[in-house]
Amino acid sequence: MAISLKVNGPRRSVPAEPDTPLLYVLRNDLALNGAKFGCGLAQCGACTVLLDGQAVRSCVTEIDSIGEAEVTTIEGLGTIDKPHPLQQAFIDEQAAQCGYCINGMIMTAKGLLDRNPHPTAAEVREALSQNLCRCGTHGRIIRAVLRAAENMGKT
Ligand code: FES
Ligand code: FES
């Protein structure tokens, strides 16, 4: 059957069963490979995207449950020529090592900054506490989110 989804702006129709995880639809049907498959069990955060601004684990989000909500993936944030301030801050802080966790970190941080534009370091740590980074770059990731918040406050 065909399921209709609003992703990064336009509405798209994809052939999929209602219980298909959103992550599979993004990666396999829409060629949006920014969200990563890590655990598939809502445990790592690598697959995080926004649903109406809320960070969700796309590996356990069935597409049938999305309804009219708008999906935003990392591809919907910025471009290579015009990165989102969060993406720029992650580059400036050299926050990625292997990079596998980073898109999920950025999307979780986007959800945080949208509801709390001036978080403390403790609030950033708390928001990202369920996003795992096996390379251990958490310190730089926290600094990148704080830098992005500061830069966004100036614009
Ligand atoms: S792949 Fe979804 S939380 Fe790990
Ligand atoms: S940078 Fe490698 S898992 Fe986070």
Side-chain angles (χ1 to χ4, degrees):
M1 64 181 290
I3 298 264
S4 165
L5 289 175
K6 204 164 179 221
V7 182
N8 298 334
R11 186 164 279 284
R12 315 275 291 269
S13 183
V14 291
E17 294 303 315
D19 61 352
T20 306
L22 172 61
L23 179 63
Y24 296 3
V25 170
L26 293 174
R27 293 182 60 84
N28 299 339
D29 297 292
L30 299 178
L32 295 168
N33 294 315
K36 305 297 184 206
F37 184 97
C39 62
L41 298 167
Q43 300 292 307
C44 75
C47 66
T48 303
V49 300
L50 300 181
L51 259 194
D52 279 348
Q54 295 282 339
V56 299
R57 308 267 153 126
S58 63
C59 67
V60 293
T61 302
E62 296 181 358
I63 48 171
D64 197 33
S65 70
I66 293 172
E68 296 301 310
E70 178 146 3
V71 180
T72 307
T73 71
I74 189 93
E75 291 89 346
L77 287 200
T79 63
I80 289 182
D81 293 333
K82 198 166 184 299
H84 184 277
L86 267 166
Q87 293 168 311
Q88 187 61 56
F90 272 65
I91 294 167
D92 292 342
E93 290 289 344
Q94 291 288 287
Q97 193 161 317
C98 81
Y100 204 81
C101 70
I102 294 295
N103 293 347
M105 294 282 186
I106 289 175
M107 296 313 290
T108 304
K110 172 83 166 65
L112 169 68
L113 296 187
D114 284 351
R115 64 178 188 276
N116 177 6
H118 304 292
T120 63
E123 288 170 332
V124 174
R125 270 196 296 276
E126 171 63 26
L128 293 175
S129 63
Q130 300 305 309
N131 285 66
L132 307 185
C133 172
R134 70 180 186 177
C135 298
T137 71
H138 294 90
R140 283 180 273 163
I141 289 168
I142 306 293
R143 283 203 298 276
V145 177
L146 291 169
R147 180 196 278 244
E150 192 182 328
N151 289 343
M152 290 163 79
K154 292 179 193 159
T155 58

